[in-house]
Amino acid sequence: MDICKIQENASKCSVTTMECFMVLSTQAQKISIATLCGLFGTLCVFENSLVLYLIFSSPGTRRKPSYLFISSLALADTLASIIFACSFVNFHVFNETVFSKEVFLLQLAGVNMTFSASLSSLLLTALDRYISISRPSEYKLLMTRKRAWIALGVLWVTCATIASLPLLGWNCCTLNTTCSKLFPFVDNNYLSSWICFVMVLLGCIVYAYAHVLWRAHQHVAYMEKNQAQVEKLNTRMRMDVMLAKTLVMVLTVLVLCWSPVLVLMIYSVFARLSNHLRKVFAFCSTLCLLNSMVNPIIYALRSKELYSSLRMVFSQFRRQLKTPEESPGAETTHKSSVIET
């Protein structure tokens, strides 16, 4: 720890100072981090890739704006899991410091961009549901495929721009300002700005989901009072209620996974972190990966269209597995019948 203080005073932007941020001191901690990243990362890539396949293999789902937003979420989570798991394990487990400051900031930009895009895609999904339940008669006019693609383009460009700012010069090395206690070369002001950006995203998501839940509650009360209404109207309301339950699950997982990381980030801006808290932050960071892994499970289980497509894929896969197994038996039966004849 004394060496880190000396290096910070002498040259806080030296590549060797990255060793001060490698807080995993025991082999057990490194194995735990590697196992969590490997397990969550592999499952995340598989699940989100499957969601992307299910959406774009069906003409009915890939044309709907809501599924375009879900596909953006799945793409962001896939990229986040790959970039985060590889860079995180490489840094904390293998203690790799041979790459330059620019390479490290490029990796950090990739992680920031993909996780920001994941949260932004959740926000677009929430806004899509907000419009569909608050203005159902105008939904198709307001939410067209063209507007959905424009919103996705703005989303990814904005996230890429914000994530690239440290690489473009907003870092404590170039500006000679206070460095973050959690990330090498990152300016404390940039970290504060990024935290504010994420908090705004989460706040908008919570507001949109809260409105959807409130409308769903109204629909439940309406259905209880008007049991003799038209079946089509009741079906629409049941769909809204089921959607609200899905959003509650997504929101709960989102808050549980991101709260520890954001709390520690905010604390690091105003106070000096101990080695123990930085170890806690390293393990809490894997919860963001867990969030990316859980999202496709929720959508696959709660969306009837995706769930039915998933069942079709599994049934086709089973038939393909059974075909080679049945072929030898059929061939043997045919041969025995010829011999008997």
Side-chain angles (χ1 to χ4, degrees):
M1 191 66 184
D2 293 333
I3 297 175
C4 294
K5 287 182 180 179
I6 293 171
Q7 288 176 349
E8 186 178 352
N9 293 332
S11 177
K12 63 183 177 182
C13 291
S14 172
V15 175
T16 56
T17 57
M18 285 196 291
E19 297 175 0
C20 303
F21 293 86
M22 298 174 182
V23 293
L24 302 182
S25 54
T26 64
Q27 196 67 20
Q29 293 172 354
K30 294 181 180 181
I31 292 175
S32 300
I33 284 290
T35 303
L36 290 174
C37 288
L39 179 62
F40 293 162
T42 303
L43 290 175
C44 185
V45 170
F46 172 75
E47 292 169 3
N48 285 287
S49 300
L50 182 60
V51 170
L52 287 171
Y53 172 77
L54 293 176
I55 291 175
F56 287 99
S57 62
S58 172
T61 54
R62 67 169 177 258
R63 291 172 184 167
K64 295 181 179 180
S66 57
Y67 284 102
L68 289 178
F69 299 144
I70 294 176
S71 64
S72 174
L73 173 64
L75 176 61
D77 286 339
T78 302
L79 295 176
S81 61
I82 295 173
I83 300 172
F84 175 83
C86 293
S87 59
F88 203 72
V89 170
N90 193 37
F91 185 80
H92 283 289
V93 177
F94 297 109
N95 301 137
E96 188 63 59
T97 59
V98 295
F99 42 76
S100 63
K101 177 192 72 175
E102 288 74 19
V103 174
F104 177 83
L105 290 177
L106 180 62
Q107 292 179 352
L108 187 63
V111 174
N112 285 348
M113 181 192 72
T114 49
F115 277 129
S116 299
S118 176
L119 290 176
S120 300
S121 299
L122 275 176
L123 175 59
L124 287 183
T125 304
L127 293 177
D128 175 71
R129 296 299 87 197
Y130 175 88
I131 295 173
S132 69
I133 200 170
S134 61
R135 305 173 72 176
S137 59
E138 305 173 24
Y139 173 75
K140 290 186 177 180
L141 295 175
L142 294 174
M143 191 57 67
T144 61
R145 291 184 74 247
K146 182 179 179 181
R147 290 180 178 178
W149 280 112
I150 292 174
L152 289 175
V154 172
L155 178 157
W156 281 91
V157 170
T158 302
C159 292
T161 303
I162 293 174
S164 302
L165 291 177
L167 186 62
L168 297 176
W170 191 357
N171 56 74
C172 59
C173 305
T174 304
L175 302 176
N176 195 25
T177 52
T178 306
C179 293
S180 168
K181 288 88 174 176
L182 290 173
F183 306 101
F185 316 125
V186 174
D187 180 47
N188 238 9
N189 293 326
Y190 171 79
L191 181 60
S192 302
S193 301
W194 189 81
I195 292 171
C196 292
F197 172 66
V198 172
M199 294 295 287
V200 168
L201 290 178
L202 291 176
C204 293
I205 292 172
V206 170
Y207 174 80
Y209 284 179
H211 183 82
V212 171
L213 291 175
W214 176 66
R215 292 300 296 267
H217 176 72
Q218 286 184 324
H219 287 180
V220 171
Y222 183 85
M223 283 190 291
E224 290 176 351
K225 293 180 180 179
N226 301 273
Q227 294 292 336
Q229 291 295 321
V230 182
E231 184 64 24
K232 184 177 180 181
L233 181 61
N234 287 341
T235 302
R236 170 69 184 177
M237 291 183 176
R238 291 191 190 99
M239 289 175 62
D240 291 336
V241 172
M242 186 170 182
L243 173 66
K245 293 179 180 178
T246 302
L247 296 183
V248 168
M249 295 171 64
V250 173
L251 184 59
T252 303
V253 172
L254 184 69
V255 172
L256 290 177
C257 290
W258 277 89
S259 294
V261 172
L262 289 175
V263 168
L264 287 172
M265 282 185 179
I266 294 171
Y267 181 75
S268 71
V269 173
F270 300 102
R272 187 175 184 85
L273 293 179
S274 64
N275 257 8
H276 175 70
L277 283 178
R278 292 201 291 172
K279 288 178 184 178
V280 172
F281 177 78
F283 280 93
C284 288
S285 298
T286 60
L287 291 177
C288 299
L289 199 58
L290 176 64
N291 179 44
S292 298
M293 185 193 75
V294 172
N295 280 337
I297 297 177
I298 296 174
Y299 289 122
L301 293 178
R302 305 294 295 183
S303 171
K304 289 185 177 180
E305 291 177 295
L306 290 183
Y307 185 67
S308 60
S309 299
L310 183 62
R311 292 185 62 182
M312 288 179 59
V313 169
F314 278 138
S315 62
Q316 292 175 358
F317 183 68
R318 286 179 180 177
R319 284 197 295 267
Q320 290 177 356
L321 287 179
K322 288 181 179 179
T323 302
E325 294 177 358
E326 294 175 353
S327 298
E331 194 174 340
T332 304
T333 305
H334 176 70
K335 287 182 179 179
S336 61
S337 63
V338 171
I339 293 173
E340 289 176 1
T341 305

